[in-house]
Amino acid sequence: GKPLVPVSHIRGHIAASYLADKNLQPPFITILASGGHTAIVAVEDYYNMKVLGSTLDDAVGEAFDKVARVLGLSYPGGPNVEKLAKEGKNTIVLPKMLKNYDGGEFDFSYSGLKTAVINYVHNQKERGVEINGADVANSFQHSAINVLVEKAINATKKYGYDTICVSG
């Protein structure tokens, strides 16, 4: 006899941003990043939002978890990769995601980046070369985050918004 009220998990991530910053008001672009989701969302007002782009495969958080595992770091990967990355440098050339992709301009793909890191670590170990885990973490984090920031900035320019929020 109780009403069932549907609540979107994704909208919940975005709505939590209003609790974190009492001055936040739509419209804005949000980078939605979590273990299961990665998206650029145009928040038009408190009720209407439009997903501009999302991941085509692995979410960014999932990629962080898998890279952490290959580096011997514990779960959850994000904070541990970030901590290790602070000790390293962006020295490893990793692929830019969706470089020649003809789909949505705000879409993401983390599968190739994750695989490139796993292959790099594996190949170095096979050659007997000691890897610098901090440099791997830094290079991965740099590649993973820069594309999020770049696409969010491009979305603000395209849609005329001046605020970027990070949710998730």
Side-chain angles (χ1 to χ4, degrees), residues 1 8 14 18 21 33 39 41 63 66 78-79 110 117 119 121 123-124 129 144 155 159 161 167:
S8 165
I14 296 169
Y18 300 120
D21 183 347
V41 180
K66 289 179 180 174
Y110 284 95
V117 172
N119 287 341
V121 170
N123 290 336
Q124 295 298 88
V129 177
Y159 290 89
Y161 295 172
S167 306

Side-chain angles (χ1 to χ4, degrees), residues 111-128:
S111 178
L113 177 61
K114 170 200 68 180
T115 301
V117 172
I118 291 169
N119 287 341
Y120 173 82
V121 170
H122 175 76
N123 290 336
Q124 295 298 88
K125 286 181 179 178
E126 286 290 312
R127 293 182 189 137

Side-chain angles (χ1 to χ4, degrees), residues 1-13:
K2 302 291 182 189
L4 180 61
V5 179
V7 177
S8 165
H9 167 200
I10 302 302
R11 288 178 179 267
H13 277 306

Side-chain angles (χ1 to χ4, degrees), residues 12-25 28 30 46 164-168:
H13 277 306
I14 296 169
S17 301
Y18 300 120
L19 299 173
D21 183 347
K22 304 288 186 204
N23 296 316
L24 180 64
Q25 296 179 2
F28 57 86
T30 193
Y46 290 106
I164 296 175
C165 175
V166 178
S167 306

Side-chain angles (χ1 to χ4, degrees), residues 9 13 38 41 49 69 82 99 102 113 139 146:
H9 167 200
H13 277 306
T38 305
V41 180
M49 50 192 75
R69 188 175 338 134
E82 180 180 15
K99 185 176 180 183
D102 291 331
L113 177 61
S139 299
N146 274 3

Side-chain angles (χ1 to χ4, degrees), residues 64 68 71 73-74 76-89 132-138 140-141:
F64 268 85
L71 292 176
L73 304 174
S74 61
N80 296 310
V81 169
E82 180 180 15
K83 183 178 178 183
L84 183 59
K86 289 178 182 177
E87 300 171 17
K89 296 179 182 171
N132 181 326
D135 287 352
V136 173
N138 186 293
F140 164 74
Q141 182 172 274

Side-chain angles (χ1 to χ4, degrees), residues 43-123:
V43 179
E44 298 164 350
D45 57 41
Y46 290 106
Y47 303 101
N48 298 300
M49 50 192 75
K50 178 181 176 184
V51 176
L52 303 177
S54 63
T55 187
L56 303 174
D57 44 47
D58 294 350
V60 66
E62 181 181 357
F64 268 85
D65 290 341
K66 289 179 180 174
V67 167
R69 188 175 338 134
V70 80
L71 292 176
L73 304 174
S74 61
Y75 181 87
N80 296 310
V81 169
E82 180 180 15
K83 183 178 178 183
L84 183 59
K86 289 178 182 177
E87 300 171 17
K89 296 179 182 171
N90 182 18
T91 60
I92 301 162
V93 177
L94 295 170
K96 184 166 175 146
M97 295 173 281
L98 299 179
K99 185 176 180 183
N100 298 314
Y101 177 63
D102 291 331
E105 66 183 303
F106 300 113
D107 286 335
F108 302 93
S109 171
Y110 284 95
S111 178
L113 177 61
K114 170 200 68 180
T115 301
V117 172
I118 291 169
N119 287 341
Y120 173 82
V121 170
H122 175 76
N123 290 336

